[in-house]
Amino acid sequence: MGHIFTIIFYQPVLNLLVFFYNILPGHDIGLVIVALTVAIKLILWPLSQRALKSQQVISQLQPKIKEIQNKYKDNKEEQGRAMMALYREAKVNPTSSCLPLLIQLPFLWAVFRVFRDGLSNKSLALVYPFISRPELLQTTSFGIIDLSKPNIFLAILTGLAQYFQAKTATRQIPPAAGGQAEELSSIMNKQMLYFMPVMTVAICWRLPSGLSLYWFLSSILTILQQIYWFKKHKHNN
């Protein structure tokens, strides 16, 4: 399993980082991480758009969801069946709001591994033959921050970005209503809004700040993507 992860996620991320390191002026690792983040977001763009579309459909189903909730308010089992039938008819998954995070996790872990091993020059042997392999990766960005070491300020910024990302999503999309779906959605939204930012700070506090910078930039780009998507949707309607 570890070998498969290395081939599918770790090695491509490492090679993207080395490629940008080679071509960007100054070989600044901070700029490299910016380019890497944008590249990964573009790769994940179709999946993210699909998830946002599913969330959008759930939002549009709210009147029907309320009808089912009122009709079967005394029969939770029948209410649940009716809700699932509605979701199947609309071809949407009620837990789709978690998809952007889930598809991001393997890349996030791969980036962590790269900053833990690749930036310390332990894994450059995995660079593809057609990419020039540098003798040394300079880990200091703009001559100020060593991105191979933890940085509390970047960790806090990353936690704040994670909070606003969750806040933007919950503001745009009302929670699904009806029985267990409503309860599950409410719990997930609260965890995303409050628990995830705190956990993000705790994680980034101890890990290479290159990961914090990547996570921060990824959250900012996700916020912009969400705002763009829903503004476009409202304009088209």
Side-chain angles (χ1 to χ4, degrees):
M1 192 69 180
H3 182 63
I4 295 175
F5 174 84
T6 297
I7 294 175
I8 296 178
F9 294 104
Y10 175 79
Q11 197 170 4
V13 169
L14 173 64
N15 279 271
L16 262 179
L17 183 140
V18 173
F19 171 75
F20 287 130
Y21 186 87
N22 288 335
I23 67 171
L24 289 177
H27 305 296
D28 189 284
I29 198 66
L31 294 177
V32 170
I33 292 173
V34 172
L36 179 69
T37 308
V38 172
I40 292 177
K41 291 299 290 184
L42 288 175
I43 292 170
L44 296 179
W45 180 271
L47 292 175
S48 299
Q49 294 293 89
R50 193 177 305 169
L52 288 171
K53 185 176 181 179
S54 296
Q55 294 169 2
Q56 198 175 79
V57 172
I58 291 176
S59 176
Q60 294 168 348
L61 288 176
Q62 289 303 302
K64 292 184 179 180
I65 290 173
K66 290 293 185 182
E67 287 179 13
I68 293 174
Q69 190 179 29
N70 292 330
K71 183 178 181 180
Y72 299 107
K73 60 182 178 181
D74 297 324
N75 189 337
K76 297 297 182 182
E77 186 176 343
E78 188 63 32
Q79 182 185 111
R81 282 197 290 265
M83 289 291 300
M84 291 301 105
L86 177 63
Y87 289 138
R88 281 196 300 270
E89 182 182 350
K91 298 180 180 179
V92 67
N93 190 328
T95 60
S96 60
S97 60
C98 293
L99 185 57
L101 177 63
L102 292 177
I103 61 180
Q104 171 75 0
L105 286 178
F107 286 92
L108 192 63
W109 179 249
V111 171
F112 160 67
R113 289 274 307 276
V114 167
F115 291 134
R116 185 191 67 181
D117 302 331
L119 291 186
S120 59
N121 303 296
K122 293 179 181 178
S123 300
L124 292 180
L126 292 176
V127 173
Y128 299 137
F130 55 85
I131 295 179
S132 176
R133 187 170 68 186
E135 293 183 4
L136 180 68
L137 289 174
Q138 297 290 342
T139 60
T140 301
S141 179
F142 303 111
I144 302 174
I145 304 174
D146 187 348
L147 294 180
S148 66
K149 298 178 180 178
N151 185 290
I152 181 58
F153 298 107
L154 271 176
I156 293 173
L157 281 176
T158 304
L160 290 173
Q162 187 71 44
Y163 170 80
F164 285 111
Q165 177 185 333
K167 191 74 173 176
T168 302
T170 55
R171 185 183 296 118
Q172 298 288 354
I173 304 169
Q180 293 182 348
E182 181 181 23
E183 183 179 351
L184 178 61
S185 178
S186 177
I187 292 173
M188 286 166 51
N189 285 338
K190 287 180 180 178
Q191 287 181 342
M192 291 293 292
L193 189 59
Y194 299 110
F195 176 71
M196 278 298 296
V198 173
M199 189 175 72
T200 298
V201 175
I203 292 173
C204 292
W205 198 316
R206 295 176 173 84
L207 297 180
S209 53
L211 176 66
S212 301
L213 180 58
Y214 167 81
W215 200 335
F216 169 75
L217 293 170
S218 182
S219 297
I220 295 299
L221 290 175
T222 300
I223 292 170
L224 294 176
Q225 182 183 17
Q226 290 172 342
I227 293 173
Y228 166 78
W229 174 269
F230 289 106
K231 280 190 176 181
K232 180 181 178 181
H233 168 70
K234 289 178 182 178
H235 179 72
N236 290 339
N237 287 278

